[in-house]
Amino acid sequence: MIPILVVRSEDGRTFRFSRPFHIGREHDCGVRIEDGRVSRKHVLVSFENGRWQISDQHSGNGVYVHGRRVESVPVDPIVSIRLGPEGPMLTIEVEGATAPAPRSSTAPPVVLQGGETKLLQSYAERYFGTATSDEPVGGRTMMIRKAFIKVQKRQRRLYTTIVSVAVVAAVAAGAYAYYSQRKLERQKELAEELFYTMKALDVNIANLERQVASSTPPGGVAKQMTEYLERRRQLERNYDQFLGGLRLYDHPLTPQEQAILRVTRLFGECEMAAPPEYLAEVGRYIRLWRSTSRFADGVPRAQEKGYSRKIAQAFQAQNLPEQFFYLGLQESGFVETAVGQPTRMGFAKGMWQFVPDTAKRYGLTVGPLVAYPRPDPSDDRQKWDKATDAAARYIKDIYSTDAQASGLLVMASYNWGEGRVIRMLQSMPPNPRDRNFWKVLALHRDQVPKETYDYVLNIVSAAVIGENPKLFGFAFDNPLGFLDKP
């Protein structure tokens, strides 16, 4: 029989379990806690080897017991855990068990034999006691008493000085720490403001590019475009200087975590605005790529068939991050004859998995086998070069409108449908700071399908691996490495 486990939360809720369960933010967790410091599945509580065991599930903020971070802890028979260093507290205990009596930390008293104790007490009273006595004392005793009183006064003065210095030092250190923290917070605020100024400029540049393409003559718009691009480069340099001062990419970040932040920025999201569990969450999806052959098969396929350079050039032509290359990996594994599952809009086909209506909108001819889940040589969706150009233009259109130049929102739109995402975005403030993937999750997490969430994190994590595949255990180089060469 598995003993009943009782969980009590800070908000007064009580839960009873007789089988393993999770603690976290997701709906299927046995104990669900709506708190930004709690990961989606923060803790697993399971019954192993005759006792209940609490295990951290690679959470962003960790599990703490008595102020110390732990990977796992037994319920023996009661334990209090905190989800994160300052997160919510839970008390977990085996029902009906009696907690062991606390051990006393007090050392046992020293017992003296016979009259030794009385003798020591009499000496202490005679030479160091403060009680008055009519018993006459000699000069030696008086000398010892005066010396003791003098020593006590010196010690009190010394202790007072030490305490005063310590208090002043503590106040000064606290004031300096507060000033440093406020200064750092202000620098981060300025850096974020600078980043989102760049994002707003990216949206303007994307819209101007449309005007340049349609203007006759394009002179005035083209001049404005040149000014915008030069201003964008200057803002980028200033932002880099801010990050250098903040030392955001320094220790204790690992090389893998640094790569995650760089790729996040490439996709148009502010690395400083990411939630606390973001690094650990992307790390989890990196491990998923390593657990299958999809990355190891798909990327070399694109390199061997010459897809990599053409795909990168198509995104460069649209002034988009070349890392959208990995959207093709997620969609089809770079298989140009791929056919997707049936949807209400028909079968998605080709490397970029266009449905029929979207394909036609971007100039692709749909073949006669459109209604069948079979490859179709006459279908432009399966001609990878044409489909790649169409995919770059489609992504550009999403990128430059309501998605506010957020690469992660573009990915979500590509998977879930831009109409659904745009309707959600139009209910939010119309600026890049408030229109990013994390804001959408914070406000509409229950509406975003798990498939779309996985889709976005899969592409981001694949792009992170692609920056340096060997760092993550793959035996080939960056498939976009040619971009750094003259």
Side-chain angles (χ1 to χ4, degrees):
M1 293 292 293
I2 298 178
I4 300 296
L5 196 69
V6 180
V7 181
R8 295 183 176 86
S9 63
E10 285 184 320
D11 57 10
R13 293 180 296 162
T14 300
F15 307 84
R16 299 173 77 252
F17 297 95
S18 60
R19 62 182 63 186
F21 61 95
H22 282 93
I23 301 174
R25 291 202 323 268
E26 285 212 335
H27 288 280
D28 59 350
C29 289
V31 179
R32 187 178 178 217
I33 301 176
E34 289 288 348
D35 191 300
R37 296 165 294 187
V38 178
S39 296
R40 293 164 61 225
K41 280 191 169 61
H42 202 113
V43 165
L44 171 64
V45 184
S46 57
F47 191 75
E48 303 173 9
N49 300 322
R51 66 178 180 178
W52 287 97
Q53 185 81 15
I54 301 170
S55 304
D56 187 3
Q57 298 298 287
H58 306 290
S59 62
N61 290 326
V63 176
Y64 288 76
V65 176
H66 299 309
R68 186 168 60 89
R69 184 166 183 168
V70 298
E71 293 299 321
S72 63
V73 63
V75 182
D76 192 20
I78 182 170
V79 66
S80 293
I81 64 170
R82 191 176 289 280
L83 306 181
E86 297 179 356
M89 174 80 80
L90 295 170
T91 299
I92 304 174
E93 63 179 306
V94 178
E95 189 173 66
T98 302
R103 297 180 180 178
S104 172
S105 60
T106 306
V110 177
V111 179
L112 300 177
Q113 298 294 325
E116 293 179 10
T117 300
K118 291 183 179 180
L119 181 61
L120 288 177
Q121 289 174 346
S122 66
Y123 282 153
E125 188 67 30
R126 178 178 181 83
Y127 291 109
F128 310 115
T130 57
T132 58
S133 173
D134 295 335
E135 179 185 354
V137 295
R140 179 181 176 83
T141 299
M142 288 300 300
M143 181 182 68
I144 292 174
R145 287 184 178 180
K146 289 179 180 179
F148 180 66
I149 292 171
K150 192 173 183 180
V151 169
Q152 281 186 316
K153 289 181 179 179
R154 286 179 180 174
Q155 286 180 334
R156 280 195 291 269
R157 286 197 298 268
L158 177 61
Y159 292 155
T160 301
T161 302
I162 292 174
V163 170
S164 300
V165 171
V167 168
V168 171
V171 170
Y176 179 76
Y178 176 78
Y179 168 77
S180 300
Q181 182 64 25
R182 287 295 303 142
K183 182 180 178 182
L184 181 62
E185 290 174 359
R186 180 55 183 157
Q187 285 178 324
K188 286 185 176 181
E189 290 171 3
L190 290 173
E192 284 194 40
E193 289 174 10
L194 187 57
F195 180 89
Y196 287 112
T197 301
M198 289 194 300
K199 287 291 295 294
L201 197 55
D202 285 340
V203 177
N204 292 335
I205 290 171
N207 289 323
L208 270 178
E209 286 172 338
R210 290 180 172 183
Q211 296 180 40
V212 169
S214 60
S215 293
T216 308
V221 179
K223 181 180 178 181
Q224 189 177 9
M225 170 71 78
T226 301
E227 294 173 354
Y228 274 19
L229 289 173
E230 177 54 36
R231 185 183 173 200
R232 176 65 170 77
R233 285 189 287 269
Q234 182 60 49
L235 288 172
E236 186 85 23
R237 288 191 290 269
N238 292 342
Y239 185 68
D240 286 336
Q241 290 176 357
F242 259 103
L243 292 189
L246 293 172
R247 306 179 70 86
L248 180 65
Y249 285 84
D250 289 356
H251 181 79
L253 290 181
T254 66
Q256 291 89 340
E257 291 171 332
Q258 293 174 7
I260 293 172
L261 293 182
R262 283 195 299 271
V263 166
T264 300
R265 177 178 168 186
L266 287 173
F267 277 126
E269 293 289 6
C270 182
E271 55 266 75
M272 289 183 296
E277 67 271 18
Y278 177 67
L279 291 175
E281 186 73 341
V282 177
R284 183 168 72 87
Y285 281 82
I286 289 173
R287 291 192 293 275
L288 290 175
W289 279 112
R290 296 179 63 184
S291 68
T292 72
S293 62
R294 291 177 60 217
F295 194 95
D297 293 342
V299 171
R301 180 184 298 118
Q303 292 175 298
E304 291 164 7
K305 295 194 173 186
Y307 297 157
S308 305
R309 189 175 295 274
K310 167 63 179 174
I311 293 172
Q313 289 171 345
F315 287 121
Q316 283 179 326
Q318 298 296 331
N319 197 24
L320 290 168
E322 297 86 358
Q323 285 69 23
F324 277 116
F325 166 84
Y326 295 98
L327 191 146
L329 172 67
Q330 175 64 18
E331 286 287 351
S332 66
F334 299 113
V335 176
E336 56 184 308
T337 58
V339 178
Q341 296 297 318
T343 71
R344 62 184 179 86
M345 295 173 288
F347 287 101
K349 293 187 178 183
M351 181 183 294
W352 300 97
Q353 290 290 283
F354 278 111
V355 294
D357 286 347
T358 307
K360 294 174 185 177
R361 196 185 343 149
Y362 286 89
L364 299 179
T365 301
V366 175
L369 301 180
V370 62
Y372 301 94
R374 298 203 301 271
D376 186 349
S378 61
D379 195 318
D380 284 348
R381 293 179 291 173
Q382 297 185 182
K383 297 174 183 176
W384 74 271
D385 49 349
K386 286 186 177 182
T388 294
D389 288 332
R393 285 184 283 117
Y394 177 36
I395 289 172
K396 180 68 172 185
D397 286 344
I398 304 172
Y399 189 86
S400 61
T401 55
D402 292 270
Q404 297 284 297
S406 164
L408 274 63
L409 286 179
V410 169
M411 299 170 201
S413 300
Y414 198 101
N415 173 259
W416 195 24
E418 72 270 25
R420 294 189 182 96
V421 176
I422 286 173
R423 284 192 295 273
M424 189 179 293
L425 292 175
Q426 287 174 344
S427 68
M428 300 169 66
N431 62 74
R433 179 187 290 272
D434 293 308
R435 284 193 179 183
N436 60 49
F437 185 67
W438 301 306
K439 293 285 187 182
V440 168
L441 288 180
L443 295 174
H444 304 287
R445 185 68 184 90
D446 295 341
Q447 299 176 44
V448 177
K450 183 178 185 302
E451 175 193 341
T452 299
Y453 180 87
D454 292 340
Y455 182 89
V456 173
L457 271 294
N458 273 327
I459 296 173
V460 171
S461 55
V464 172
I465 297 172
E467 292 294 289
N468 186 359
K470 292 181 179 177
L471 180 64
F472 297 93
F474 294 92
F476 48 85
D477 294 322
N478 183 349
L480 302 178
F482 57 84
L483 297 171
D484 300 326
K485 300 176 183 177

